[in-house]
Amino acid sequence: MKIEGKVSTIIFKNESNSWTVILLKVGKEYITAVGITDELEVDDEIELEGEEDIHKIYGKQFKFTTYKKVLPKTNTALIDYIANNIKGVGKKTARNIVDKFQDNTVNVIRYEPRKLEGLKGLNEEKIDALNVFFCEEYDKWNAIEYLSSFNVSVLVATNIYKQLKSDTIEIVSKNPYSLLNFVKSLEFKFVDEIGKKLGIDLNNEDRIDSGIIYASNKITEFGHTCIELENLINYAANLLEVAEDTISNGIERLVLSNKMYIQMINNTEFVFRKSYYLAEENIAENVVNRTTREINVTNYDKIIEKVSKKNNIVLSDEQFKSISTCLNSNISVITGGPGTGKTTIIKCIIDILEDLNIEYVLCAPTGRAAKRIKETTKKEAKTLHRLLEIAKVDDRDLDAFFNVDVKQIEADVVIVDEASMIDSIMMNNLFKAMKQNTKIILVGDVDQLPSVGPGDVLKDIITSNAVNVVELKKIYRQSSMSDIILNAHRVNNGILPEFKNKDTDMFFVKSTSVENTLEKISELISYRLLNYAKFDVLKDLQILTPMKKTQLGTIQLNSFLQEILNPKAKEKKEKEINGKIFREGDKVMQIINNYDKKFSLNGEFFDGIYNGDIGYIKEIDNQNQTMTVIFDEEKEVIYEFEELDELELAYAITVHKSQGSEFDYCILPIYTGYEKLFTRNLLYTAMTRAKKMLVIVGNKNTINFMVNNIESKKRKTGLKYKILEKLS
């Protein structure tokens, strides 16, 4: 059933799922209509498709499954439509256009825009704007109507149109499976339904090839870069409902066209998607070229002694040898746990390079990691994104991120801190930017959680035994007085942590249930910790948690903590979006890289706010629909309300998000959760985030489980074997 009318009022819209209740004027009567909408405004003329329904509470309403915007039917409505949508064209000018061309107005604007020349109030720029808007609106809603015939919602159809524009109908009708290349969020079964309705055979090669690539992507999305050939064949055959021979033929086809690659690892064939394989190839080639290239060995003993004296540092034999090893290597790795002196070695290497007038760059994977190494070394440090000047690209589109252009690095030495966080795609981009004779020093704790993205780069480089690795084991005097550091090393070695009641910086608070855990956290942040030490709870304390979901996950914890640390008040403006409330004074985190986002600093403007940056809401301007956030106590960033999905509350963050950061005070709730998440290296990573105090709230059985839970699902990668193959 179809009805057509004008949107009189938008009664309600749920920002999280776009469910909308509208009052629609149909002729002389008003109808309540409910359904999912996108970019709908008052006075829009729309055609709805659905059926009448009787709601138990709200009575008669029209429940629509899809809708499309239609051009206004009257001259008055068309004048309003033009004036409301074209910048710089007011009602007076719109009336001039409609008065002259009457019923032919839309056709003139779309097909013969030059006829508009000479009309009062119009110039070339406004005529072009009219033409583009009407053509795009027609194409968009034509495409949405076409997609709706396959039960595609307006929301998803709009997303598809944003990618394909006027080619939408042609691309979908010829090969709907190509949608998987353009819209990364689509599931194969969703696209397959379109294919079936178009009559595409189950054994169609486009369907098989797209399904295999999709299956490979799904299997490897948890950090693997490859999958056993046999497993891929089995998984894809079940997904596509075809014979395994058909899948084998498809994989062979994809390999021949260089869309997939096969590598033999320990007598087993592994399949790689293109970007993962080529990224590992480039990393392996760069590692081997550097490690096999001759270097003039220099005795740096005197300058090391000079620098250590200048900085009042007494270097151990281990540290002394480490510095010399790094300076005499084209590629080297410094790895070790907290308190083992990694930063001391970096400081000395930097001072030596400066004394010798050797140009270097200091960098880290995230903004917070770069800020931390800058604070400890007092030297300029950049994020990898800023160093490489990576242009705007969706980090989640790994093929696009693999092919991104990078700025060449002119320095002689590149020092990378927190290298365990670098995935294979980013490491590939770093090597792309480096000259062949540039030295690289990778610094990181290999026992922490691996990178969020694909690969296990630092570990693979270390275990290949191809490069000089400095493994620091000794805990130095100041750090040896910290129970946080001592217990972190115990956990890393599979030994249960020891908790003291006094003279310690690491405490355990027992809880008896999830609810009791929340009560204990509330007590700690409200008064117990403040009785122990004076600090700013909002800025100096961070709550870490292994997960996003459940009562002890970030989503629910942040709502709980917001009401304690920044409760609702008359003087505080707030904005609700996607089910989240943002309030002035809130602690927030940027959750995607936004390379184009401008921020002001001392009157100057710079680009780039990055995933993991933490800030505080300074102002919410409901009139102008903007929110101002202060990052790093000095970067002032203005967000449009429509950009707020880039932010989330940050009173509690996941342990994964905390990597590369340190916080003075940390609370870690460990009561119950997903066994696969509760691993030794997650507990170890969480513990090493705290500098002055760590409080674990929960039960010791769960802590003991984590210490003994060595992650069984190690990442499947080919980098180590590519390095060994090239060396041999």
Side-chain angles (χ1 to χ4, degrees):
M1 180 181 178
K2 292 182 179 179
I3 62 171
E4 190 176 313
K6 180 190 279 191
V7 178
S8 176
T9 308
I10 297 175
I11 299 169
F12 169 78
K13 183 169 184 178
N14 186 328
E15 297 291 346
S16 62
N17 60 16
S18 296
W19 179 259
T20 311
V21 180
I22 60 178
L23 190 64
L24 193 72
K25 187 179 182 183
V26 182
K28 292 184 178 181
E29 66 174 317
Y30 289 88
I31 293 173
T32 301
V34 295
I36 293 172
T37 67
D38 179 65
E39 298 179 359
L40 197 63
E41 296 177 359
V42 171
D43 291 334
D44 279 346
E45 298 270 356
I46 58 174
E47 180 184 275
L48 305 171
E49 188 169 340
E51 57 186 26
E52 290 183 342
D53 185 46
I54 304 296
H55 193 278
K56 289 180 180 178
I57 299 173
Y58 302 111
K60 186 178 177 182
Q61 54 186 212
F62 188 82
K63 200 171 184 179
F64 60 92
T65 52
T66 187
Y67 74 95
K68 68 173 182 177
K69 288 187 184 179
V70 293
L71 289 174
K73 294 289 193 293
T74 67
N75 286 353
T76 302
L78 185 56
I79 290 165
D80 289 340
Y81 187 70
I82 293 170
N84 291 337
N85 287 288
I86 310 301
K87 190 176 181 181
V89 178
K91 280 193 176 184
K92 191 174 180 180
T93 304
R95 187 174 289 110
N96 289 340
I97 299 169
V98 176
D99 284 348
K100 181 165 183 177
F101 298 106
Q102 295 294 318
D103 294 343
N104 204 33
T105 298
V106 175
N107 287 334
V108 168
I109 293 172
R110 288 188 63 208
Y111 303 117
E112 301 176 280
R114 293 307 115 202
K115 285 187 176 181
L116 298 169
E117 290 174 357
L119 276 178
K120 192 174 181 181
L122 290 180
N123 55 26
E124 190 175 342
E125 186 181 342
K126 291 174 184 177
I127 291 171
D128 287 343
L130 275 162
N131 175 253
V132 168
F133 175 76
F134 273 83
C135 287
E136 285 188 350
E137 280 292 283
Y138 179 83
D139 285 342
K140 174 183 173 181
W141 289 99
N142 200 25
I144 290 171
E145 183 176 21
Y146 173 76
L147 291 168
S148 71
S149 66
F150 301 108
N151 295 324
V152 178
S153 73
V154 174
L155 217 57
V156 175
T158 302
N159 193 18
I160 292 171
Y161 180 79
K162 283 177 182 175
Q163 303 296 322
L164 306 182
K165 299 294 183 183
S166 59
D167 297 325
T168 300
I169 295 175
E170 184 182 359
I171 288 172
V172 174
S173 60
K174 282 185 177 178
N175 178 15
Y177 298 97
S178 63
L179 284 173
L180 295 166
N181 300 324
F182 298 110
V183 188
K184 300 299 177 183
S185 58
L186 294 181
E187 297 290 334
F188 180 80
K189 287 186 177 180
F190 171 88
V191 175
D192 205 26
E193 285 301 313
I194 299 175
K196 287 174 181 176
K197 286 180 181 177
L198 286 169
I200 294 174
D201 187 77
L202 287 180
N203 291 311
N204 175 278
E205 288 187 4
D206 286 331
R207 178 180 186 269
I208 298 300
D209 293 357
S210 296
I212 291 169
I213 292 172
Y214 174 86
S216 169
N217 294 350
K218 290 300 284 185
I219 293 172
T220 58
E221 68 182 4
F222 299 107
H224 308 298
T225 61
C226 57
I227 180 66
E228 295 93 335
L229 175 61
E230 188 179 332
N231 287 355
L232 177 59
I233 291 171
N234 181 263
Y235 178 72
N238 288 329
L239 175 73
L240 296 167
E241 300 174 330
V242 296
E244 291 190 353
D245 284 349
T246 304
I247 300 298
S248 296
N249 292 336
I251 292 172
E252 190 175 330
R253 218 169 25 246
L254 290 164
V255 170
L256 287 171
S257 61
N258 292 326
K259 291 178 180 176
M260 297 190 93
Y261 290 80
I262 291 179
Q263 179 182 344
M264 186 71 76
I265 300 174
N266 294 335
N267 299 316
T268 300
E269 287 184 299
F270 280 78
V271 183
F272 293 75
R273 62 189 285 187
K274 181 179 179 178
S275 55
Y276 291 177
Y277 183 86
L278 295 179
E280 287 188 348
E281 274 287 300
N282 185 44
I283 297 166
E285 194 170 312
N286 272 274
V287 168
V288 172
N289 284 347
R290 281 171 171 77
T291 201
T292 54
R293 194 173 68 247
E294 285 188 24
I295 187 169
N296 294 323
V297 177
T298 304
N299 188 328
Y300 289 100
D301 289 0
K302 287 185 178 179
I303 195 165
I304 294 172
E305 287 173 1
K306 173 188 167 186
V307 164
S308 61
K309 283 179 182 176
K310 184 179 80 172
N311 293 307
N312 292 319
I313 298 171
V314 179
L315 295 172
S316 67
D317 291 342
E318 177 187 58
Q319 290 174 315
F320 200 98
K321 184 182 176 184
S322 299
I323 295 166
S324 181
T325 298
C326 291
L327 292 170
N328 277 311
S329 303
N330 290 316
I331 178 169
S332 54
V333 175
I334 303 171
T335 186
T340 55
K342 296 191 295 295
T343 304
T344 298
I345 292 172
I346 294 174
K347 283 179 182 176
C348 288
I349 289 172
I350 287 171
D351 280 349
I352 291 166
L353 294 174
E354 288 182 351
D355 269 19
L356 297 173
N357 291 316
I358 295 173
E359 191 178 350
Y360 70 91
V361 291
L362 183 59
C363 57
T366 66
R368 291 190 66 80
K371 183 185 176 188
R372 189 162 65 86
I373 194 66
K374 182 179 179 179
E375 288 170 348
T376 53
T377 62
K378 310 301 181 193
K379 304 295 180 182
E380 182 61 34
K382 294 182 177 181
T383 64
L384 287 172
H385 287 87
R386 193 175 290 282
L387 174 67
L388 304 180
E389 293 188 4
I390 291 175
K392 186 176 182 180
V393 63
D394 186 350
D395 294 9
R396 294 163 292 185
D397 186 348
L398 292 166
D399 295 323
F401 199 49
F402 167 76
N403 288 310
V404 75
D405 290 328
V406 294
K407 182 188 178 184
Q408 292 302 296
I409 298 170
E410 298 300 328
D412 301 303
V413 180
V414 175
I415 303 170
V416 189
D417 195 29
E418 297 290 351
S420 64
M421 297 175 68
I422 306 178
D423 63 36
S424 58
I425 304 295
M426 181 55 94
M427 186 63 85
N428 165 69
N429 285 327
L430 177 59
F431 275 125
K432 272 182 358 189
M434 288 168 56
K435 296 180 293 187
Q436 286 297 314
N437 60 347
T438 302
K439 292 182 180 181
I440 182 169
I441 301 170
L442 300 170
V443 186
D445 186 347
V446 76
D447 294 314
Q448 284 188 28
L449 290 168
S451 58
V452 175
D456 206 351
V457 178
L458 186 65
K459 190 172 186 178
D460 281 348
I461 290 174
I462 291 172
T463 55
S464 72
N465 294 317
V467 306
N468 285 320
V469 177
V470 173
E471 189 175 358
L472 304 171
K473 294 182 178 178
K474 182 180 177 182
I475 303 172
Y476 290 92
R477 188 175 62 82
Q478 189 174 355
S479 298
S480 66
M481 298 168 66
S482 165
D483 287 321
I484 296 172
I485 288 175
L486 291 174
N487 276 314
H489 283 275
R490 289 174 65 87
V491 166
N492 197 35
N493 292 319
I495 304 167
L496 302 181
E498 292 180 345
F499 296 101
K500 302 175 184 175
N501 293 324
K502 57 182 181 178
D503 299 325
T504 182
D505 55 3
M506 179 171 166
F507 298 90
F508 173 73
V509 176
K510 181 181 177 181
S511 62
T512 55
S513 66
V514 170
E515 291 73 22
N516 186 234
T517 304
L518 291 170
E519 287 173 18
K520 300 289 186 185
I521 292 172
S522 178
E523 290 171 5
L524 284 165
I525 62 178
S526 298
Y527 61 89
R528 285 183 66 181
L529 286 180
L530 295 174
N531 290 337
Y532 177 89
K534 288 185 178 180
F535 62 93
D536 187 325
V537 176
L538 268 179
K539 293 187 177 178
D540 301 326
L541 171 73
Q542 185 61 58
I543 285 127
L544 305 176
T545 177
M547 54 221 162
K548 285 187 174 182
K549 297 179 181 177
T550 77
Q551 278 183 275
L552 296 177
T554 54
I555 297 170
Q556 292 194 47
L557 260 180
N558 272 313
S559 295
F560 172 76
L561 295 166
Q562 183 187 44
E563 292 312 307
I564 297 170
L565 296 173
N566 190 31
K568 190 179 181 73
K570 284 183 179 179
E571 67 275 11
K572 294 178 188 174
K573 293 193 285 292
E574 56 184 54
K575 170 66 180 175
E576 182 177 353
I577 189 161
N578 296 334
K580 294 180 288 190
I581 294 174
F582 291 111
R583 187 175 293 141
E584 288 177 342
D586 274 338
K587 185 177 186 178
V588 292
M589 175 187 277
Q590 176 80 14
I591 57 171
I592 66 167
N593 290 322
N594 187 331
Y595 311 100
D596 297 333
K597 195 71 189 164
K598 294 193 180 298
F599 63 85
S600 63
L601 189 60
N602 299 324
E604 283 189 76
F605 279 91
F606 301 88
D607 292 335
I609 297 295
Y610 300 107
N611 189 350
D613 287 353
I614 290 177
Y616 299 86
I617 298 175
K618 176 184 177 183
E619 181 185 15
I620 293 174
D621 185 341
N622 286 306
Q623 185 175 347
N624 292 310
Q625 298 198 325
T626 60
M627 187 166 88
T628 304
V629 180
I630 305 294
F631 292 96
D632 298 330
E633 299 180 358
E634 53 185 0
K635 296 180 190 173
E636 192 164 297
V637 184
I638 298 174
Y639 291 82
E640 304 288 335
F641 280 173
E642 62 188 28
E643 297 176 303
L644 295 185
D645 58 351
E646 295 185 10
L647 294 168
E648 62 183 28
L649 294 175
Y651 299 105
I653 63 174
T654 62
V655 177
H656 282 86
K657 284 284 189 186
S658 74
Q659 276 187 275
S661 304
E662 283 186 338
F663 309 95
D664 285 347
Y665 300 85
C666 287
I667 296 174
L668 177 64
I670 298 285
Y671 186 78
T672 186
Y674 308 116
E675 289 187 2
K676 287 182 180 179
L677 272 179
F678 279 49
T679 60
R680 179 188 296 176
N681 63 353
L682 185 137
L683 178 60
Y684 171 72
T685 302
M687 292 171 70
T688 55
R689 299 310 91 204
K691 288 196 291 185
K692 293 182 179 178
M693 183 195 292
L694 171 66
V695 183
I696 299 179
V697 183
N699 71 69
K700 288 185 179 178
N701 288 337
T702 305
I703 296 171
N704 296 349
F705 171 82
M706 292 179 78
V707 172
N708 294 312
N709 185 20
I710 301 171
E711 193 174 4
S712 57
K713 285 193 173 181
K714 292 183 179 177
R715 291 190 170 185
K716 295 167 186 172
T717 66
L719 178 58
K720 172 183 171 182
Y721 305 96
K722 287 182 176 72
I723 293 171
L724 294 173
E725 191 177 272
K726 289 180 188 299
L727 277 173
S728 64

